[in-house]
Amino acid sequence: MKAISARRNTLYGLLFALPWIIGFLAFTAYPILASLYYSLTEFVGIGIPKWIGSGNYKALMNDELFWKSLYNTIYYVGLAVPIGFVVGLGLALLLNMDLKEVGIYRTLVYIPYVLPAVVVGFIWLWMLNPYFGLLNLFLNTVFHIQGPGWFSDPKWAKPAFVMLAQWGAGGSAVIFLAAIKDVPRELLESAEIDGAGWWTKFSKIIIPMISPVILYHIITALFGGFQIFTTAYIATNGGPANSTLFYVLYLYRSAFQYSKMGYASAMAWILFILVLILTLIIFRTSARWVFYRGGGE
Amino acid sequence: MNLRYFITKVIGRLVLVLISIVFLVPIFWMFTTSIKDMSEVMTYPPIWWPNPPKWHNYIEAVNYIPFGRYTLNTIIITIGNIAGVLFSAPLVAYSISRIRWRGRNILFMLILSTVLIPFPVIMIPVFIVFARLGWINTFRPLIIPAFFGGGAFNIFLLRQFFMTIPEELSDAARIDGASEFGIYSRIMLPLIKPILIVISLFTFLGAWNDFMGPLIYLQDEAKYTLSLGLQMYRSTNYVEWPLLMAAATIVVIPTIIAFYFTQNTIVESVTLTGLKG
């Protein structure tokens, strides 16, 4: 009887999971292996891929644009992720204040996060127009500073994307806020009785208590950052002087504009391994700074 | 102490008002540009509110590109995605949370691990498969995968919800002779309706805002979505800023409406999922 019910359960378990399993095999497992195979071939997308071993990887090592795009992306991630973390957490702390109308602020700050990336790209292309963009007009009128060319200046184009990314910080702020709201009141109150100041409460209680959310945020931000595409495609399309040719943008071009599917697959695999290593490192160090509350919930 | 509390409140409020303004200005700027003449766009000092507002830009904008066609295309793809996710995500979430079978924890780990795969890694082979099937320039590559996946985050959310439902409920139904599928569709799905709505809204936002998918699969201009269509207000060295911003405003409105309905549930779902640790 028991064996029958266990078999029945396994059968139903598999049956209910079947669409996902089919999808996983067709749209995840197969493509991962296929892209590894393509990365070892010369392939224009139609016909039969021609085996060239490590040829694509060797060619990439000598491809200036590959290194440039990797540099651009690491530059961007290196700034956008830490700044995004500080901005998101800072916003969350502000939104955690005991104010009647705080819900309104939360709503307003969150809106940009749900806008389509294409629209975000266009809005900022316009906001950062060197001559008639609102930001430079503001800098000029209020501070009498001649603002930079932003997206048209190789020095300022990457920082412009870092700034643009902060516009969506409401998304992470809302998640941090939920975590902060969940910190047990008694903990903060007893700390107050013991004379703990604002900073002590923040660094010794809030940060450890929300550290799992911080870990989640950093990993998703890292993934998002490495895959920056749409806003760059719209606002600069890689320019000026390839200063915003981000990794996935170059990968997209290689695959779909130059029809170098094998080459692009090699790029994809390098990206894959890079982010996996980064994730692994973060998970390894997380044992030291991420604090999990006991189970029970 | 009281004075300090008062000052913190005043300063905090001031900072929040300022931040809210900074976050809203670009949206306001999009809107106000959408009702300007080209001559009012390139001016110094900037015009905050044109007089008179050129509402006519909106009519021009929707006639400048096949706006109705693109809206319809976007709606078809969006609805297809919602249907697909609502079909596949609850099924697999049910399997890993309410059916006691041996593989379910492995399956759950497998589902979670898919978020660690960058899209470009799977993009090329999937494209080639769809190309061989002759599905380029159709909506199929943008819809069908949704029926066979559902998204790791959605499945995770659903699993957490399913697990809050008492096991006795299923056991009682089983004793009454209900089939597994009957329990699923007649008891469980109605119980998780609120989270199904949240997932629909997330999926709506994802599909409506998607750019890279349509960019890869839709080359025929008649098949474009709104995201792709927005590029057509720009030529190599000229941008129709007022018309582009008018079109962008129209595209954005449904997302802001959807957002309005999601904002509270996002906070609640984060708390409910135990993401907090």
Side-chain angles (χ1 to χ4, degrees), chain B residues 119-133:
Chain B
F119 179 61
V121 177
I122 58 171
M123 173 176 87
I124 292 166
V126 171
F127 174 84
I128 287 163
V129 169
F130 285 140
R132 286 195 178 139
L133 291 171

Side-chain angles (χ1 to χ4, degrees), chain A:
Chain A
M1 190 62 195
K2 208 154 197 190
I4 291 171
S5 115
R7 261 166 71 190
R8 176 193 167 276
N9 279 350
T10 306
L11 185 72
Y12 277 112
L14 283 172
L15 203 63
F16 275 80
L18 198 61
W20 188 88
I21 293 172
I22 293 172
F24 175 76
L25 293 175
F27 303 124
T28 305
Y30 161 74
I32 289 177
L33 296 176
S35 83
L36 181 61
Y37 167 64
Y38 290 150
S39 80
L40 302 168
T41 68
E42 201 178 290
F43 186 35
V44 292
I46 43 171
I48 297 158
K50 189 178 135 219
W51 182 268
I52 55 167
S54 59
N56 287 321
Y57 293 93
K58 281 187 190 135
L60 276 169
M61 294 304 116
N62 294 317
D63 181 349
E64 245 174 77
L65 280 182
F66 164 78
W67 289 109
K68 178 103 188 151
S69 71
L70 187 62
Y71 166 76
N72 288 340
T73 309
I74 291 173
Y75 181 116
Y76 169 77
V77 171
L79 283 178
V81 173
I83 293 176
F85 170 65
V86 172
V87 172
L89 189 59
L91 272 177
L93 288 172
L94 282 167
L95 292 171
N96 190 39
M97 279 197 310
D98 187 21
L99 301 171
K100 254 185 300 177
E101 76 288 11
V102 78
I104 299 170
Y105 304 132
R106 194 188 70 196
T107 303
L108 296 180
V109 166
Y110 188 74
I111 288 177
Y113 175 71
V114 297
L115 302 185
V118 179
V119 172
V120 172
F122 275 127
I123 287 179
W124 282 93
L125 183 60
W126 181 220
M127 287 287 293
L128 298 180
N129 181 296
Y131 309 105
F132 302 104
L134 203 54
L135 185 65
N136 277 4
L137 290 175
F138 173 78
L139 290 175
N140 198 350
T141 318
V142 180
F143 300 107
H144 303 288
I145 300 171
Q146 180 53 51
W150 299 112
F151 289 134
S152 54
D153 181 341
K155 268 207 303 286
W156 284 94
K158 280 189 284 285
F161 279 107
V162 174
M163 188 165 71
L164 181 154
Q166 304 317 314
W167 200 40
S172 53
V174 165
I175 292 175
F176 284 135
L177 181 64
I180 293 171
K181 288 239 185 277
D182 210 53
V183 174
R185 281 230 147 166
E186 314 86 66
L187 265 183
L188 294 169
E189 278 162 9
S190 57
E192 257 168 59
I193 292 165
D194 290 344
W198 179 88
W199 175 251
T200 316
K201 276 195 288 177
F202 173 70
S203 60
K204 295 276 158 62
I205 299 174
I206 292 179
I207 290 282
M209 291 302 277
I210 69 167
S211 54
V213 175
I214 294 176
L215 176 66
Y216 167 82
H217 165 82
I218 290 177
I219 288 172
T220 49
L222 213 62
F223 267 74
F226 269 103
Q227 294 185 62
I228 177 175
F229 177 77
T230 304
T231 48
Y233 183 93
I234 293 294
T236 57
N237 200 13
N242 291 322
S243 61
T244 61
L245 182 69
F246 293 114
Y247 198 89
V248 177
L249 195 54
Y250 186 44
L251 194 161
Y252 164 81
R253 278 190 197 168
S254 303
F256 298 104
Q257 285 173 357
Y258 316 144
S259 291
K260 289 156 74 178
M261 296 289 184
Y263 199 69
S265 296
M267 280 191 77
W269 260 82
I270 292 173
L271 176 71
F272 189 19
I273 288 169
L274 194 72
V275 286
L276 270 190
I277 291 172
L278 278 173
T279 312
L280 220 67
I281 293 172
I282 291 169
F283 266 112
R284 274 283 162 86
T285 65
S286 76
R288 259 178 276 149
W289 59 270
V290 174
F291 168 77
Y292 292 98
R293 270 189 257 178
E297 275 185 288

Side-chain angles (χ1 to χ4, degrees), chain A residues 13 101 106 110 126 167 182, chain B residues 13 23 95 259 264 266 276:
Chain A
E101 76 288 11
R106 194 188 70 196
Y110 188 74
W126 181 220
W167 200 40
D182 210 53
Chain B
R13 193 163 264 156
F23 271 70
S95 163
F259 141 78
N264 286 317
I266 288 167
K276 64 210 169 161

